[in-house]
Amino acid sequence: MKRTSFSHWPCSIARAVDLLGDTWTALLLREAFYGIRRFDEFQQELGIARNTLADRLSRLVEERVMEKRPYQDEPRRHEYVLTEKGRDLFAVLAAMSRWGDRWLAGEEGVPVVLHHHACGHDAQAEVVCSVCRVPLEAEDVSMRLGPGYPERLKQRPDVRRRFGLDQADPGPAGSLDR
């Protein structure tokens, strides 16, 4: 079955989901942040089928999220190391963890805690404004067309409605679906 691709959609969420949207990819990244680097270690930790693992690792290397480095010559073996692009996904996984802690953790509490070495405290991910550092909430932001939005799509009625282009002051979006 052919996979639907969102890699060319004019939306960074769609593009990220295209790369990270299957179960195994997010879990591979989680394991990489735990320090797992070798194919057999990923396979053992996750119980993932070898062909699926090979496919996901190849895609992460192709997308430059991980780098494939030789660590043994006879027989030739490789390890998979997060690149800067891959390490930058930590914030995404930490935000997913916080959401899961809030909405999916059992009565016994959260399963994993992030410990921040710099201050010595346990911490949670928080999405904040890059300028004023105030936490971002859906009701306090609106989505606007960015410079990379394709000109050919800007006049479509659904796009104009989504971004409030026919209104004088669109106000806060309240959700990403706007």
Coordinates of all heavy atoms in Angstrom, one line a residue, residues 20 22-34 65 82 86-101 114 125:
L20 N 7.5 12.0 11.3 CA 7.4 11.4 12.6 C 6.1 10.7 13.0 O 6.0 10.2 14.1 CB 7.7 12.5 13.7 CG 8.9 13.4 13.5 CD1 8.9 14.5 14.5 CD2 10.1 12.5 13.6
D22 N 4.5 8.0 12.5 CA 4.2 6.6 12.8 C 4.7 6.2 14.2 O 5.6 6.9 14.7 CB 4.7 5.6 11.7 CG 6.2 5.4 11.9 OD1 7.0 6.3 11.3 OD2 6.7 4.5 12.5
T23 N 4.1 5.2 14.8 CA 4.5 4.8 16.2 C 6.0 4.6 16.3 O 6.6 5.0 17.3 CB 3.7 3.6 16.6 OG1 2.3 3.8 16.4 CG2 4.0 3.2 18.0
W24 N 6.6 3.8 15.4 CA 7.9 3.4 15.6 C 8.9 4.5 15.6 O 9.9 4.5 16.3 CB 8.3 2.3 14.6 CG 7.6 1.0 14.9 CD1 6.7 0.4 14.0 CD2 7.7 0.2 16.1 NE1 6.2 -0.8 14.6 CE2 6.8 -0.9 15.9 CE3 8.4 0.3 17.2 CZ2 6.6 -1.9 16.8 CZ3 8.2 -0.7 18.2 CH2 7.3 -1.8 18.0
T25 N 8.7 5.5 14.7 CA 9.7 6.6 14.6 C 9.9 7.3 15.9 O 11.0 7.6 16.3 CB 9.3 7.5 13.4 OG1 9.3 6.7 12.2 CG2 10.3 8.6 13.2
A26 N 8.8 7.7 16.5 CA 8.8 8.4 17.8 C 9.5 7.6 18.8 O 10.3 8.1 19.6 CB 7.4 8.9 18.2
L27 N 9.2 6.3 18.9 CA 9.9 5.4 19.9 C 11.4 5.2 19.6 O 12.2 5.2 20.5 CB 9.1 4.1 19.9 CG 7.7 4.2 20.5 CD1 7.0 2.8 20.5 CD2 7.7 4.8 21.9
L28 N 11.7 5.2 18.3 CA 13.2 5.1 18.0 C 13.9 6.4 18.5 O 15.0 6.3 19.0 CB 13.4 5.0 16.4 CG 13.1 3.6 15.9 CD1 13.1 3.7 14.3 CD2 14.2 2.6 16.3
L29 N 13.3 7.5 18.3 CA 13.9 8.7 18.7 C 14.0 8.7 20.3 O 15.0 9.2 20.8 CB 13.1 9.9 18.2 CG 13.2 10.2 16.7 CD1 12.2 11.2 16.3 CD2 14.6 10.6 16.3
R30 N 12.9 8.3 20.9 CA 13.0 8.2 22.4 C 14.2 7.3 22.8 O 15.0 7.7 23.7 CB 11.7 7.6 22.9 CG 11.7 7.4 24.5 CD 10.6 6.5 24.9 NE 11.0 5.1 24.5 CZ 10.1 4.1 24.7 NH1 8.9 4.3 25.2 NH2 10.5 2.9 24.3
E31 N 14.4 6.2 22.2 CA 15.5 5.3 22.5 C 16.8 6.0 22.2 O 17.8 5.8 23.0 CB 15.3 4.0 21.8 CG 14.2 3.1 22.2 CD 14.1 2.8 23.7 OE1 15.2 2.4 24.3 OE2 13.1 3.0 24.3
A32 N 16.9 6.7 21.2 CA 18.1 7.4 20.8 C 18.5 8.4 21.9 O 19.6 8.6 22.3 CB 18.0 8.1 19.5
F33 N 17.5 9.1 22.5 CA 17.7 10.0 23.6 C 18.1 9.3 24.9 O 18.8 9.8 25.7 CB 16.5 10.9 23.8 CG 16.5 12.1 22.8 CD1 15.5 12.1 21.9 CD2 17.4 13.1 22.9 CE1 15.5 13.1 20.9 CE2 17.4 14.1 22.0 CZ 16.4 14.2 21.0
Y34 N 17.7 8.0 25.0 CA 18.2 7.2 26.1 C 19.6 6.7 25.9 O 20.2 6.0 26.8 CB 17.3 6.0 26.3 CG 16.0 6.3 27.2 CD1 14.8 5.9 26.7 CD2 16.1 6.8 28.4 CE1 13.6 6.1 27.4 CE2 15.0 7.1 29.2 CZ 13.8 6.7 28.7 OH 12.6 6.9 29.4
V65 N 18.0 13.2 10.3 CA 17.7 13.3 11.7 C 18.7 12.4 12.4 O 19.0 12.8 13.6 CB 16.3 12.8 11.9 CG1 15.9 12.6 13.4 CG2 15.2 13.7 11.2
L82 N 22.0 10.7 16.7 CA 21.2 11.9 16.4 C 22.1 13.1 15.9 O 23.2 13.3 16.4 CB 20.5 12.4 17.7 CG 19.4 11.5 18.2 CD1 19.0 11.8 19.6 CD2 18.2 11.5 17.3
G86 N 18.1 16.1 14.6 CA 17.5 15.0 15.5 C 17.5 15.5 16.9 O 16.4 15.3 17.6
R87 N 18.5 16.0 17.5 CA 18.6 16.5 18.9 C 17.5 17.6 19.1 O 17.0 17.7 20.2 CB 20.0 16.9 19.3 CG 21.0 15.8 19.4 CD 22.3 16.3 19.9 NE 22.9 17.4 19.2 CZ 23.7 17.2 18.1 NH1 24.0 16.0 17.6 NH2 24.2 18.3 17.5
D88 N 17.2 18.3 18.1 CA 16.3 19.4 18.2 C 14.8 18.9 18.4 O 13.9 19.6 18.8 CB 16.3 20.3 16.9 CG 15.9 21.7 17.2 OD1 16.1 22.2 18.3 OD2 15.5 22.4 16.3
L89 N 14.6 17.6 18.1 CA 13.3 16.9 18.4 C 13.1 16.6 19.8 O 12.0 16.2 20.2 CB 13.2 15.6 17.5 CG 13.0 15.9 16.1 CD1 13.3 14.6 15.3 CD2 11.6 16.4 15.8
F90 N 14.1 16.8 20.7 CA 13.9 16.6 22.1 C 12.7 17.4 22.6 O 11.9 16.9 23.4 CB 15.2 16.9 22.9 CG 14.9 16.8 24.4 CD1 14.9 15.5 25.0 CD2 14.7 17.9 25.2 CE1 14.7 15.4 26.3 CE2 14.4 17.7 26.6 CZ 14.4 16.5 27.1
A91 N 12.6 18.6 22.2 CA 11.5 19.5 22.7 C 10.1 18.9 22.3 O 9.2 19.0 23.1 CB 11.6 20.9 22.2
V92 N 10.1 18.3 21.1 CA 8.8 17.7 20.7 C 8.5 16.5 21.6 O 7.3 16.3 22.0 CB 8.9 17.3 19.2 CG1 7.7 16.5 18.7 CG2 9.2 18.5 18.3
L93 N 9.4 15.6 21.8 CA 9.2 14.5 22.6 C 8.9 14.8 24.1 O 8.0 14.2 24.7 CB 10.4 13.5 22.6 CG 10.7 12.9 21.2 CD1 11.9 12.0 21.3 CD2 9.5 12.1 20.7
A94 N 9.6 15.9 24.6 CA 9.3 16.3 25.9 C 7.9 16.9 26.1 O 7.2 16.7 27.1 CB 10.3 17.4 26.4
A95 N 7.4 17.6 25.0 CA 6.1 18.1 25.0 C 5.0 17.0 25.0 O 4.0 17.0 25.7 CB 5.9 19.1 23.9
M96 N 5.3 16.0 24.2 CA 4.5 14.8 24.1 C 4.4 14.1 25.5 O 3.3 13.7 25.9 CB 4.9 13.8 23.0 CG 4.7 14.3 21.6 SD 5.5 13.2 20.4 CE 4.6 11.7 20.6
S97 N 5.5 14.0 26.1 CA 5.6 13.4 27.4 C 4.8 14.2 28.4 O 4.0 13.6 29.2 CB 7.1 13.3 27.9 OG 7.2 12.7 29.1
R98 N 4.9 15.5 28.4 CA 4.1 16.3 29.4 C 2.6 16.1 29.1 O 1.8 15.9 30.1 CB 4.4 17.8 29.2 CG 3.6 18.6 30.2 CD 4.0 20.0 30.3 NE 3.2 20.7 31.3 CZ 3.4 21.9 31.8 NH1 4.5 22.5 31.4 NH2 2.6 22.4 32.7
W99 N 2.2 16.1 27.9 CA 0.8 15.9 27.6 C 0.3 14.5 28.0 O -0.7 14.3 28.7 CB 0.5 16.0 26.1 CG -0.9 15.9 25.7 CD1 -1.9 16.9 25.7 CD2 -1.6 14.7 25.3 NE1 -3.1 16.4 25.3 CE2 -2.9 15.0 25.1 CE3 -1.2 13.4 25.2 CZ2 -3.9 14.1 24.7 CZ3 -2.1 12.4 24.8 CH2 -3.5 12.8 24.5
G100 N 1.2 13.5 27.8 CA 0.8 12.1 28.2 C 0.8 12.0 29.7 O -0.1 11.3 30.3
D101 N 1.7 12.7 30.4 CA 1.7 12.7 31.9 C 0.4 13.3 32.4 O -0.2 12.8 33.4 CB 2.9 13.6 32.4 CG 4.2 12.9 32.2 OD1 4.2 11.7 31.9 OD2 5.2 13.6 32.4
L114 N 11.6 14.1 33.9 CA 12.8 14.8 33.3 C 13.5 15.5 34.5 O 12.9 16.3 35.2 CB 12.3 15.8 32.3 CG 11.6 15.3 31.0 CD1 11.2 16.4 30.1 CD2 12.4 14.3 30.3
A125 N 8.3 20.0 30.2 CA 8.4 20.8 29.0 C 7.3 21.9 29.1 O 6.2 21.7 29.6 CB 8.2 20.0 27.8

